[in-house]
Amino acid sequence: MRAVWYEQTGPAVDVLTYGEMATPVAGPGEVRIRLEASGVNPADVGRRSGSYRAMEYPRVIPNSDGAGLIDQVGDGVTRFKRGDRVWLFNGQRNGRAFGTAAEYIALAEQLVTPLPDHLSFAEGATLGIPAMTAWCSLFADGPVVGKTVLVTGGAGAVGHYAVQLAKWGGAQVITTVSSAMKGEQARRAGADLVVNYKDEDVVAKAMAFTGGRGVDHVVDVDFGGNIATTLKLMALNSTIAVYATNGNRAPVVPMRELMEKCINLRALVLFALPPALLAAAQADISKWLAVVPRLHTIAAQFALSDTAQAHLAVEKGDKLGTVIVDCAK
């Protein structure tokens, strides 16, 4: 099969190689997917650059999300058959070196979810880690119906899905953005209040929106960078769900202030969450996708041979949506 891989970490154009590799075979409990699209996440770029950790395997095929058609079913698989359209997450995680920047991937069936016919493969590849992280950040501690949810970075890949899922879950949604264009993106997703944190007072806006009570639940893209502001707008017995903290990777946790408001601090990374929670997320996302058209934002698309350029597009930090690699091109 055609694939892209790296054997040492570093700049994308220096370490990513495009060529031929052996086509994987579906083992027991696995399906093989003929990939049509691969989604590039910031974590995929971080692993390849070496900023996350050292090389975990002698050779890595990057990218963890994707969508395509099942073309081989391993022994014991009960949920899928050949020809099924699917999306997947965590392709290059949890002991797997080979991700979705390739024509094929073989992985455990529990990481695979049916892709509705009304979605393109490129749209399916935007789901994966962003949608799963958004759902788990919102619902791991129970329903959000009737609550006020703050999504920081509401135009980002995770944030955009978090806004949509929170509205579907019955919440009032506040979101922060850094530009007018991102604000419009968040409004299209259904946000009730959009605050540009560059030139507006997030705390004042959030407290006015909630009648001074504060926010019940935060889905946070940068715990360390945001905590000084976030603490000022939290309601009693509220939750901060943290899925990233790149602004300050070693923040001081103000435990006393968290205690005084009985704030539940939930830190999460998708590959370490319990299987039952992940299965619940997949099932609920499938229900959400089936109800009405949803927004799946594609920032840019690249051919498989141009995967290095796809990684550079993510590294620039100004994308709106998910960068996609077309695995069939």
Side-chain angles (χ1 to χ4, degrees):
M1 69 175 181
R2 295 178 304 127
V4 173
W5 65 85
Y6 58 94
E7 295 176 343
Q8 62 180 2
T9 58
V13 294
D14 294 338
V15 302
L16 289 177
T17 298
Y18 171 71
E20 292 287 334
M21 283 182 57
T23 302
V25 175
E30 293 184 336
V31 294
R32 187 174 71 186
I33 299 164
R34 190 182 78 228
L35 291 159
E36 296 288 336
S38 169
V40 187
N41 288 289
D44 302 319
V45 170
R47 285 169 180 260
R48 185 266 309 146
S49 71
S51 63
Y52 273 41
R53 63 191 68 189
M55 283 288 294
E56 299 173 274
Y57 313 99
R59 173 179 284 188
V60 173
I61 294 176
N63 304 355
S64 291
D65 295 339
L69 292 163
I70 290 178
D71 83 324
Q72 191 178 79
V73 176
D75 292 341
V77 171
T78 58
R79 294 173 51 236
F80 298 102
K81 64 183 184 304
R82 290 182 62 187
D84 284 350
R85 304 173 83 248
V86 296
W87 61 272
L88 65 100
F89 69 99
N90 279 1
Q92 199 276 294
R93 295 287 193 280
N94 294 60
R96 290 180 304 280
F98 295 160
T100 60
E103 290 185 287
Y104 294 90
I105 187 173
L107 76 169
E109 67 170 325
Q110 65 262 28
L111 299 176
V112 180
T113 310
L115 178 67
D117 290 339
H118 66 271
L119 291 185
S120 69
F121 290 115
E123 289 172 325
T126 71
L127 293 167
I129 290 175
M132 292 288 290
T133 299
W135 188 96
C136 292
S137 296
L138 284 166
F139 302 113
D141 295 294
V144 296
V145 61
K147 295 183 177 181
T148 301
V149 173
L150 168 64
V151 178
T152 62
V158 174
H160 195 49
Y161 277 131
V163 171
Q164 295 181 71
L165 286 164
K167 288 299 296 180
W168 179 69
Q172 290 284 297
V173 181
I174 305 169
T175 189
T176 58
V177 297
S178 60
S179 70
M181 180 178 66
K182 290 182 177 180
E184 182 57 33
Q185 176 83 339
R187 289 186 186 92
R188 290 179 61 235
D192 298 288
L193 174 66
V194 177
V195 184
N196 187 330
Y197 66 85
K198 295 284 189 179
D199 54 24
E200 294 183 288
D201 188 327
V202 176
V203 175
K205 291 275 189 177
M207 295 304 287
F209 183 82
T210 60
R213 191 177 63 84
V215 169
D216 301 298
H217 193 108
V218 173
V219 176
D220 201 358
V221 68
D222 185 7
F223 175 78
N226 294 332
I227 187 59
T229 297
T230 304
L231 277 176
K232 297 175 184 176
L233 52 76
M234 300 302 297
L236 294 175
N237 300 297
S238 52
T239 295
I240 303 173
V242 180
Y243 67 90
T245 184
N246 291 328
N248 181 356
R249 293 194 176 185
V252 174
V253 177
M255 190 55 66
R256 186 68 197 178
E257 293 177 73
L258 293 171
M259 292 168 61
E260 288 174 351
K261 285 190 173 182
C262 292
I263 296 172
N264 171 39
L265 181 59
R266 169 176 284 277
L268 59 91
V269 61
L270 202 60
F271 62 79
L273 290 174
L277 183 65
L278 296 176
Q282 290 167 277
D284 231 20
I285 289 169
S286 292
K287 293 176 185 177
W288 171 74
L289 289 171
V291 177
V292 296
R294 307 301 185 184
L295 299 179
H296 312 280
T297 306
I298 297 169
Q301 293 182 251
F302 296 85
L304 182 60
S305 58
D306 291 328
T307 297
Q309 296 305 311
H311 275 226
L312 291 176
V314 173
E315 284 181 327
K316 283 178 64 180
D318 60 355
K319 69 181 180 66
L320 196 62
T322 300
V323 173
I324 299 296
V325 170
D326 294 317
C327 300
K329 293 184 180 180

